[in-house]
Amino acid sequence: MAYEFITVHTEADKVGVITLNRPKQLNALNGPLMVELGQALKAFDANEAIGCMIITGSEKAFAAGADIGAMATYSFADVYKNDYITRDWETIRSIRKPVIAAVSGFALGGGCELAMMCDFIIAADNAKFGQPEIKLGIIPGAGGTQRLPRAVGKSKAMDLALTGRMMDANEAEKAGLVSRIVPLDKLMEETLGAALMICGYSQLATMAAKESVNRAFESGLADGVMFERRLFHALFATADQKEGMDAFVNKRPAAFKNA
Ligand code: DAK
């Protein structure tokens, strides 16, 4: 499929890589780009050979936010009546296979929100995160006020949302927003390494792990633990559980069949 605002390729026939591709606008996220991103994610999710996806940008910018030029003249009636870009931003939430954000450069506003909607973030040492919407007379619109405090706590989330300042990769890692920092020139190699590791496991187990961790943010502890327990029990109905444990016991590599 030909895309205008993203590029798409696979690595080792197992990892789907989506690169945001509006370099002149620092990958500012407009409606058509979000439609394409949703289409590409859904296509990889439906492809049995794909076990993990990566979303990345350019060295200078993962994405510097939603496209301000496109938003500038909208009225309340425009955005409310047409549910401004809402549906296309929700697509990533329906993706069941793991999605890693490989972030270098700016991840601001909607760019930071997109990275936070991925399952985890690997940051290059030049990454900068922020929710600067306050400077434009608005607030985050794609979950920034909700996901950021869950990741970094109230105080830092308030600091970022109210001052609009950016935090660098070190601060983001210390705060728990990113899982690891790698040198810029190793970003894709390291992210691909993590993705291939995930692809080596049973897709049933990786999907269940993702679903269960996400449940932690949607439910109380007792409900979340019960949800985890049911998925844990259910995995004993899979051939992959038999294969994984037999491989361990017999000291051989496991060959999962996603069944
Ligand atoms: N939108 C449009 N164009 C942008 C842009 C953006 N967000 N960010 C940068 N650009 C463009 C610049 O206008 C410039 O274009 P030209 O002048 O060359 O034509 C080009 O990219 C290069 O930018 P700069 O010249 O500014 O580059 P610098 O290195 O000097 O500065 C910067 C980089 C990232 C610090 C700066 O560009 C900047 O502050 N950008 C704006 C960052 C920002 O405010 N982001 C938040 C936008 S609001 C929602 C979903 C999402 C959202 C809302 C609702 N729903 C689901 C409802 C999200 C809202 C936002 O993200």
Side-chain angles (χ1 to χ4, degrees), residues 43-256:
F44 280 139
D45 211 31
N47 180 343
E48 289 220 358
I50 298 295
C52 187
M53 288 156 248
I54 297 172
I55 301 178
T56 193
S58 68
E59 281 191 10
K60 180 156 187 202
F62 177 75
D67 192 316
I68 300 169
M71 279 188 284
T73 58
Y74 285 156
S75 66
F76 168 75
D78 294 327
V79 293
Y80 187 69
K81 256 198 318 191
N82 302 318
D83 208 8
Y84 170 63
I85 60 174
T86 298
R87 265 166 290 129
D88 305 321
W89 279 80
E90 301 290 317
T91 307
I92 190 167
R93 294 184 59 202
S94 68
I95 300 302
R96 300 184 68 207
K97 292 173 186 166
V99 183
I100 309 173
V103 174
S104 45
F106 298 109
L108 303 177
C112 186
E113 290 168 313
L114 175 61
M116 289 192 289
M117 281 188 244
C118 296
D119 297 312
F120 63 99
I121 301 173
I122 298 182
D125 48 17
N126 76 336
K128 284 189 187 308
F129 299 86
Q131 298 290 162
E133 290 89 341
I134 201 80
K135 297 181 183 174
L136 302 170
I138 56 171
I139 66 169
T145 65
Q146 305 304 302
R147 290 191 182 91
L148 192 60
R150 282 167 167 81
V152 305
K154 174 184 164 184
S155 190
K156 199 175 280 289
M158 282 287 192
D159 177 357
L160 291 164
L162 292 175
T163 69
R165 77 173 175 88
M166 295 182 213
M167 66 177 163
D168 65 17
N170 282 320
E171 185 179 356
E173 196 215 11
K174 223 169 106 195
L177 181 66
V178 313
S179 70
R180 30 180 141 156
I181 304 174
V182 299
L184 175 59
D185 62 353
K186 294 271 185 298
L187 177 65
M188 284 317 288
E189 188 184 322
E190 294 279 337
T191 309
L192 194 56
L196 286 170
M197 188 171 279
I198 291 167
C199 290
Y201 303 129
S202 166
Q203 279 183 18
L204 297 168
T206 58
M207 283 162 62
K210 168 171 174 161
E211 203 175 2
S212 197
V213 172
N214 278 333
R215 192 68 172 209
F217 298 97
E218 310 285 352
S219 63
L221 182 60
D223 284 347
V225 170
M226 184 54 75
F227 183 82
E228 178 196 78
R229 190 68 34 84
R230 293 296 173 243
L231 281 181
F232 174 83
H233 287 158
L235 288 170
F236 282 74
T238 68
D240 284 344
Q241 173 267 332
K242 303 287 173 292
E243 168 63 13
M245 294 195 181
D246 185 73
F248 178 84
V249 169
N250 291 298
K251 302 191 187 307
R252 62 173 177 84
F256 294 112

